[in-house]
Amino acid sequence: MTKFAPYKRKTMKRIALIIFFMAAIIAPYSMQAQIVSGDSERFNPDSISRDFKNQPYFGLYKDNYFIFGPPVGPKPTKENTNIKFQISIAQRLTNATLPGGTYLYLFYSQKCFWNVLENSMPMTDLNFNPGIGITKPLFVKNRYVGKLSLILEHESNGRDSIWSRSWNKVSLAANIIVDPHLSVAGKVWIPIIDGQNNRDILHYCGLYQTSVQVNSTNRKFSGSLTLVKRLGNFFNYNTILELAYRFSRKSNQYLFLQYYNGYGEGLLDYKVWKSQVRIGIVIKPQLFSDF
């Protein structure tokens, strides 16, 4: 027992906790995916309305993933090759439909960067992103076509002193299903910057973003491109390219590749340019991903 230093015991406990938490997230949504019988059911307005109007709905918000990989360009090292994982959920808070056919939701996302190759396996940056807002499902000609959301968000890294980063946003987001193979999304926000050490965050994390997602006919393959517009000239964008391959039609687990190119991947080093490719597992929301 003497060969295990206290920090290693803490690390083992941390790993066990993460594995347990990820398993708790994965299990119910793997089973949930089996309930969906096909594309006709996925886009049936009566089915969608039933999902919204039944008891408070708890589910995925953004993609939930666990990925690992090196930088593109610089030589991979223990410091720059890491795990990135995200946990994101949404809880509907109202049983009844609110005025305008809307519903009140609580959102929570957490993103973490974990340097598992270093001796102490430090989690170098944790970003917390709670929010509350109203969502309106959209129906056109008896077809569910997407949703609109107005959200009050907070994002911070939970640190103090010179390492503290935080800001708030009033966000308007839209997700539109063009057809079973194509969906588009957009999000624009009014920033309320309260962090003393990130007054210039809009130059790195931007003012709005746009996304497009495509799916194969059997929904086994999917790909998405997200562009986040930073302040500055027309070409100032952060770019996120994602590819996913579903293991089986009855599951909601995908082999996942993500390429991030730009600033603001994490709050702590939001001013640092990153070009990073990672691969791992992702669990996706039923109809489309929020970005």
Side-chain angles (χ1 to χ4, degrees):
M1 294 296 292
T2 56
K3 66 179 180 179
F4 291 100
Y7 76 86
K8 289 202 171 183
R9 288 198 295 269
K10 291 180 181 179
T11 299
M12 293 173 68
K13 290 179 180 178
R14 184 187 301 168
I15 295 171
L17 180 60
I18 290 171
I19 293 172
F20 173 79
F21 193 54
M22 291 298 293
I25 291 289
I26 291 171
Y29 295 106
S30 297
M31 293 185 289
Q32 178 184 337
Q34 298 179 31
I35 298 173
V36 181
S37 59
D39 285 342
S40 60
E41 180 70 12
R42 294 167 69 93
F43 297 99
N44 182 276
D46 293 333
S47 175
I48 299 295
S49 297
R50 186 170 62 249
D51 285 342
F52 275 101
K53 292 179 181 178
N54 283 344
Q55 69 270 15
Y57 177 77
F58 176 83
L60 301 185
Y61 175 39
K62 302 177 183 179
D63 285 350
N64 285 244
Y65 55 75
F66 196 88
I67 52 179
F68 171 80
V72 176
K75 180 181 178 181
T77 66
K78 293 180 180 180
E79 290 75 26
N80 63 21
T81 303
N82 59 17
I83 284 175
K84 175 184 177 183
F85 66 85
Q86 177 171 276
I87 297 167
S88 183
I89 55 176
Q91 168 72 48
R92 186 161 73 89
L93 298 177
T94 51
N95 280 322
T97 305
L98 299 178
T102 61
Y103 301 86
L104 182 64
Y105 274 84
L106 182 67
F107 304 100
Y108 180 75
S109 299
Q110 181 173 315
K111 182 169 56 179
C112 178
F113 298 86
W114 188 10
N115 286 23
V116 293
L117 299 182
E118 294 187 50
N119 289 335
S120 61
M121 301 176 67
M123 291 188 177
T124 56
D125 192 12
L126 281 82
N127 299 172
F128 307 93
N129 182 204
I132 189 169
I134 56 174
T135 292
K136 177 178 175 60
L138 301 176
F139 299 93
V140 175
K141 295 182 179 180
N142 203 37
R143 179 176 179 265
Y144 176 70
V145 297
K147 65 179 182 179
L148 291 174
S149 298
L150 180 64
I151 308 170
L152 176 61
E153 299 183 68
H154 171 77
E155 188 174 18
S156 64
N157 66 346
R159 304 281 291 272
D160 57 9
S161 187
I162 62 173
W163 297 281
S164 174
R165 311 281 187 268
S166 67
W167 64 326
N168 304 290
K169 298 183 284 187
V170 180
S171 303
L172 178 64
N175 298 73
I176 304 297
I177 301 171
V178 180
D179 61 40
H181 308 293
L182 176 66
S183 63
V184 296
K187 187 176 182 181
V188 61
W189 48 84
I190 300 171
I192 306 168
I193 303 172
D194 57 353
Q196 295 298 319
N197 301 304
N198 52 265
R199 292 294 185 182
D200 58 352
I201 195 169
L202 298 182
H203 292 274
Y204 301 92
C205 296
L207 277 170
Y208 67 86
Q209 65 184 45
T210 57
S211 304
V212 59
Q213 179 173 311
V214 295
N215 303 292
S216 63
T217 302
N218 59 5
R219 304 189 68 85
K220 198 156 190 174
F221 297 92
S222 69
S224 67
L225 175 66
T226 300
L227 300 175
V228 182
K229 180 64 179 72
R230 307 191 305 268
L231 282 185
N233 67 48
F234 179 79
F235 298 101
N236 282 0
Y237 284 92
N238 299 328
T239 305
I240 309 165
L241 176 64
E242 298 174 338
L243 301 173
Y245 170 77
R246 187 164 60 169
F247 294 115
S248 73
R249 190 168 177 79
K250 292 185 178 181
S251 74
N252 191 23
Q253 300 171 35
Y254 295 74
L255 181 64
F256 184 58
L257 182 143
Q258 183 190 80
Y259 171 62
Y260 191 98
N261 187 70
Y263 295 99
E265 186 180 26
L267 282 180
L268 184 63
D269 295 328
Y270 71 96
K271 293 184 181 182
V272 178
W273 178 272
K274 299 287 182 67
S275 183
Q276 196 105 7
V277 61
R278 300 181 181 91
I279 190 169
I281 302 295
V282 67
I283 309 163
K284 289 181 168 292
Q286 251 186 40
L287 295 174
F288 44 70
S289 299
D290 283 89
F291 295 97

